[in-house]
Amino acid sequence: DVDTLPTIVLEPEKEPRGTVDVDAAGPAAVSIDGQYSGFMTPTPGLRVSAGVHAIELRDGNGKVLDAQHPRIEMGATARLTLQLPRRK
């Protein structure tokens, strides 16, 4: 039947994870624990394991522009705003 909606069953999170949103005053590559996340700022909610992580902004050459080391709590969302160097 075309009018029938599928049934969706949501399961509780089994892994200890949290979410991190990363923003800056302009676009920059976001790395988590030294690995490029695949996203530029501003990011969607990135799921990471609970614990302390190195969140970095990098330029096109891989140079770290700013970094924070937040503790991500299970089930929580951390919203980070990192700084970009001022243009001269």
Side-chain angles (χ1 to χ4, degrees), residues 28-88:
V30 176
S31 291
I32 301 174
D33 299 329
Q35 298 293 313
Y36 176 53
S37 68
F39 292 95
M40 303 285 284
T41 54
T43 67
L46 303 174
R47 301 289 287 160
V48 297
S49 60
V52 176
H53 293 278
I55 311 294
E56 301 170 331
L57 295 185
R58 295 178 181 251
D59 67 12
N61 296 319
K63 178 182 173 193
V64 175
L65 304 172
D66 192 17
Q68 290 186 20
H69 297 84
R71 174 173 295 282
I72 308 301
E73 301 294 335
M74 182 175 167
T77 299
R79 291 179 173 83
L80 307 178
T81 301
L82 281 79
Q83 302 301 311
L84 295 175
R86 292 186 178 165
R87 295 186 181 188
K88 297 178 182 180

Side-chain angles (χ1 to χ4, degrees), residues 13-29:
E13 178 74 63
K14 291 182 173 49
E15 298 293 322
R17 298 182 195 275
T19 304
V20 63
D21 296 331
V22 183
D23 200 1

